[in-house]
Amino acid sequence: MNGKSCEFCSNRSFAANFLNDNELKLLEKSCVDVQFSKGDVIFKQNALSSNIIYVKSGLVKIHISGPEREQILKIIKGPIYLGIPTTFGDKINHYSATALMETGVCFIDLNSFKDFIASNSNFAYEIITELCKNELAHFAHCVNQVQKQSQGRVAEALCFFADEIFNASIFELPLSRQEFGDLTGNSRESVSRIFTNLNNDKVITLKGKNIEILDMERLRSISKNG
DNA sequence: GCATTAACCACAG
DNA sequence: CTGTGGTTAATGC
């Protein structure tokens, strides 16, 4: 957990389980452990990228400043790899990552990571599998984003937080209205309005950033059809 | 035309 | 930072 114990790290990646003792020791040597607070930038778009990032715990938003406005690509929850495409794909980062809460991150030296891929096929296989799943999820998300109308996108995002992030129907949104708009491709005003509508329709209860989903069925149907 | 959707603006807590 | 109301442009009956 503190940079010296990849071997015993309980948040270790599934792929890292295939590393042998020797490789784990190498990983420890080429890995730096950093703690981030809410709002801290983990890495920035257009900056040089030279590390593989592994989120051990916490919540991170991945975002791009687009031609018109800010766009949140996705929200991810540790433990998970982050920034493999931006590190392997180009010299510079194509997106930024910002912590949404207290978040533990490992910075892994790119060359060591490449060595593992070259020498350990099980490790490589797991990494490729994860990247492929990622792309498939992106395809689905992309179609949804483009073809759904605004309340459908908002409902989808609420379901996402309930199902994937918090595993609960009551949670506190880790985003401002503006950020929620950036995530769902809406203006902040539209997000406000849709939230109050859902509140009035008794689909959710809304108190500031605290959300309780009252009617999951209804929310899913809005997400699917709206 | 008329209704709906959603962005933009302005202003108020 | 949020919520609300008015306005406007695009799209679809």
Side-chain angles (χ1 to χ4, degrees):
Chain A
M1 291 288 276
N2 45 24
K4 276 284 172 228
S5 54
C6 292
E7 194 176 351
F8 303 109
C9 180
S10 55
N11 290 326
R12 205 165 65 187
S13 72
F14 188 64
N17 288 335
F18 291 101
L19 297 177
N20 62 37
D21 290 351
N22 217 6
E23 288 168 323
L24 276 175
K25 287 205 175 74
L26 250 164
L27 179 60
E28 276 175 26
K29 269 192 221 161
S30 54
C31 169
V32 175
D33 193 312
V34 184
Q35 200 70 19
F36 290 95
S37 301
K38 183 180 170 65
D40 286 348
V41 175
I42 297 169
F43 60 81
K44 207 167 159 46
Q45 187 174 354
N46 296 326
L48 212 59
S49 89
S50 47
N51 293 106
I52 295 292
I53 315 283
Y54 181 68
V55 180
K56 284 197 299 188
S57 63
L59 208 60
V60 176
K61 70 167 175 176
I62 295 176
H63 50 116
I64 280 188
S65 82
E68 290 291 321
R69 55 202 143 76
E70 190 76 3
Q71 175 76 45
I72 297 180
L73 296 172
K74 61 174 175 176
I75 310 274
I76 58 156
K77 185 175 74 161
I80 191 172
Y81 280 105
L82 152 64
I84 293 179
T86 208
T87 306
F88 270 74
D90 198 356
K91 281 184 189 164
I92 58 168
N93 291 316
H94 284 210
Y95 45 82
S96 303
T98 304
L100 294 175
M101 53 183 265
E102 200 67 18
T103 295
V105 171
C106 293
F107 290 80
I108 303 163
D109 177 65
L110 177 57
N111 288 322
S112 307
F113 194 85
K114 281 180 176 170
D115 287 346
F116 296 151
I117 288 181
S119 63
N120 188 323
S121 61
N122 285 326
F123 180 83
Y125 180 86
E126 285 309 321
I127 296 295
I128 291 172
T129 303
E130 190 170 324
L131 290 172
C132 289
K133 283 182 180 170
N134 242 314
E135 182 161 13
L136 293 180
H138 266 301
F139 288 163
H141 184 245
C142 197
V143 175
N144 284 339
Q145 181 85 359
V146 170
Q147 296 188 3
K148 281 178 186 174
Q149 54 187 42
S150 53
Q151 55 166 349
R153 299 197 299 271
V154 168
E156 182 192 18
L158 288 175
C159 288
F160 165 76
F161 277 110
D163 295 339
E164 320 253 329
I165 301 295
F166 297 109
N167 302 313
S169 59
I170 303 178
F171 54 86
E172 185 186 342
L173 260 193
L175 302 174
S176 69
R177 296 291 191 267
Q178 177 66 61
E179 287 175 309
F180 201 89
D182 294 339
L183 174 66
T184 57
N186 288 305
S187 66
R188 62 169 191 87
E189 293 99 324
S190 293
V191 172
S192 273
R193 262 180 266 253
I194 291 163
F195 276 177
T196 45
N197 284 343
L198 290 172
N199 188 52
N200 293 338
D201 294 347
K202 304 258 188 314
V203 179
I204 64 172
T205 301
L206 180 69
K207 280 193 220 91
K209 290 185 178 177
N210 293 302
I211 287 179
E212 176 176 8
I213 297 173
L214 299 174
D215 192 343
M216 202 54 179
E217 292 303 305
R218 192 90 171 281
L219 194 63
R220 283 195 207 291
S221 117
I222 295 170
S223 167
K224 203 174 169 207
N225 307 314

